[in-house]
Amino acid sequence: MRRFIPTHAIKMLKIIDIGANLTDPMYQGIYNGTAKHEPDLSHVLNRGWAGGLEKIIVTVGTLADCEPTFDIIKNDERLFATVGCHPTRCGEFVADPEGYFASLCHQIEEHRDKVVAIGECGLDYDRLHFCEKDVQQKYFEKQLELAEKYNLPLFLHCRNSHDDFADILLRNLDKLPKRGVVHTFDGPLEAAEALIANGFYIGINGCSLKTEENLSVVAKIPDQWIMVETDSPWCEIRPSHAGSKHVKTKYPVVKKKEKWQSDSLIAGRCEPVMISHVLEVLSGIKGKPVVELADQYYRNTMKMFFPKEFQ
């Protein structure tokens, strides 16, 4: 059996993955409703810790995600979570808006030591078949009240909706003393600059680094405004992506899910340890050492999400 061994360079880093979907069924060995292998989240996490990750923030996208998320993170001081409703799930508010909002409040209050951000919330106009624009807008803005109420930063989602997204944030800036991060950023430089001008960080993962245009934009984003993430099990950097030419670290991979091994990654499924690939692409396009960038992004993240430890 092959043993997972991180590279020396990656082991030397301190890294925080600001966005991982650890409640996804893939980490229970289930793909499209079919079990392919045994649950392996413990192995996934151990690879992440061995690969230099110091903390992981688990993304919550709906009220129903809360219970399984807090069950995963409750006994590990390295795991934290967001609480909020993804734009494509905002229809869940409609039947009982105040009740749904109160339930989000309850989850935050019940797990206050583990909740570090409000989200994932925002706008997604690429998937309006899941939730209409007006519903998304209404309940995105409603969730900003949570940031004010609990003095927490935002974990934000913006897809093909920058103008409306920015308008909502701008008219609520006084409610957002901690601002937040726009995760999986893949927009134009002008959008990034506008967000940064208002105090928002830019989250970069594999989906931010697909095309040469993406690489050109990200290369120009100031490092003091970047955080890194995997959005696992999504957003791996694939060989067809422009950023892949900068990836150096190789991990043992099995191509068929049924051939799962505890010490191997699975082709097509991203894991938190693969944040090393994101850092390597950023290093390649910015012409700076991975260690230097990782240190900057770590400090950015600590300042935003873990200010008591950062002081």
Side-chain angles (χ1 to χ4, degrees):
M1 180 179 288
R2 295 168 296 182
R3 185 164 65 90
F4 174 77
I5 303 175
T7 67
H8 175 73
I10 296 301
K11 284 194 295 182
M12 296 291 289
L13 304 179
K14 287 199 300 185
I15 318 166
I16 300 173
D17 185 350
I18 66 163
N21 301 284
L22 298 186
T23 60
D24 192 279
M26 289 188 206
Y27 297 126
Q28 298 303 311
I30 299 170
Y31 301 78
N32 298 318
T34 302
K36 298 291 187 179
H37 57 79
E38 66 182 74
D40 66 340
L41 181 59
S42 62
H43 298 293
V44 169
L45 287 171
N46 286 336
R47 277 193 286 273
W49 307 138
L53 280 163
E54 185 173 279
K55 302 178 193 294
I56 298 172
I57 301 174
V58 182
T59 306
V60 166
T62 175
L63 191 57
D65 285 346
C66 290
E67 184 176 350
T69 294
F70 290 118
D71 189 54
I72 288 169
I73 73 176
K74 63 185 178 183
N75 295 320
D76 195 322
E77 61 185 11
R78 298 165 293 186
L79 293 173
F80 298 85
T82 69
V83 168
C85 187
H86 191 282
T88 62
R89 303 297 293 273
C90 277
E92 295 179 8
F93 269 97
V94 174
D96 182 9
E98 293 307 316
Y100 197 92
F101 186 83
S103 295
L104 292 175
C105 291
H106 173 74
Q107 290 295 333
I108 295 166
E109 292 164 7
E110 190 78 6
H111 307 283
R112 192 64 184 85
D113 60 328
K114 284 292 194 177
V115 179
V116 297
I118 302 303
E120 177 177 359
C121 58
L123 300 176
D124 189 323
Y125 292 174
D126 282 342
R127 290 178 280 182
L128 293 175
H129 55 289
F130 288 122
C131 187
E132 296 176 353
K133 280 186 183 182
D134 59 337
V135 176
Q136 289 190 31
Q137 292 167 7
K138 180 176 182 178
Y139 295 110
F140 172 33
E141 192 153 15
K142 180 66 176 175
Q143 289 181 81
L144 301 184
E145 296 177 20
L146 294 170
E148 181 180 36
K149 182 179 176 71
Y150 297 106
N151 194 31
L152 285 169
L154 294 160
F155 187 77
L156 294 161
H157 179 104
C158 179
R159 285 290 165 275
N160 192 26
S161 56
H162 175 76
D163 290 346
D164 289 343
F165 176 82
D167 285 346
I168 290 171
L169 289 176
L170 286 173
R171 67 171 174 259
N172 288 279
L173 279 181
D174 60 334
K175 295 180 181 178
L176 309 174
K178 296 288 183 71
R179 302 298 197 259
V181 59
V182 181
H183 102 108
T184 318
F185 182 84
D186 63 355
L189 183 61
E190 295 76 17
E193 290 172 338
L195 290 163
I196 289 168
N198 285 293
F200 293 94
Y201 286 79
I202 307 299
I204 301 298
N205 60 34
C207 290
S208 310
L209 304 166
K210 286 184 176 181
T211 68
E212 290 296 342
E213 184 178 1
N214 290 152
L215 299 186
S216 177
V217 169
V218 174
K220 296 180 179 71
I221 297 174
D223 293 320
Q224 62 267 34
W225 289 100
I226 286 177
M227 297 181 189
V228 287
E229 54 177 312
T230 57
D231 202 30
S232 52
W234 318 107
C235 291
E236 68 173 324
I237 298 173
R238 299 178 180 177
S240 60
H241 293 174
S244 65
K245 59 181 174 288
H246 298 292
V247 171
K248 298 178 180 178
T249 302
K250 305 296 182 184
Y251 299 114
V253 174
V254 292
K255 293 184 178 180
K256 292 186 177 181
K257 302 172 184 67
E258 296 84 354
K259 301 291 186 180
W260 172 88
Q261 298 179 51
S262 63
D263 59 343
S264 295
L265 284 70
I266 294 174
R269 185 185 72 169
C270 189
E271 294 188 10
V273 73
M274 296 166 75
I275 203 161
S276 62
H277 294 168
V278 178
L279 286 166
E280 287 167 351
V281 177
L282 285 161
S283 173
I285 63 177
K286 287 175 173 286
K288 297 179 181 179
V290 166
V291 173
E292 177 185 328
L293 292 178
D295 180 66
Q296 177 69 61
Y297 304 152
Y298 176 83
R299 287 187 281 115
N300 296 346
T301 306
M302 289 295 293
K303 182 180 178 182
M304 172 64 70
F305 295 116
F306 306 98
K308 291 180 181 178
E309 295 182 47
F310 183 70
Q311 292 172 355

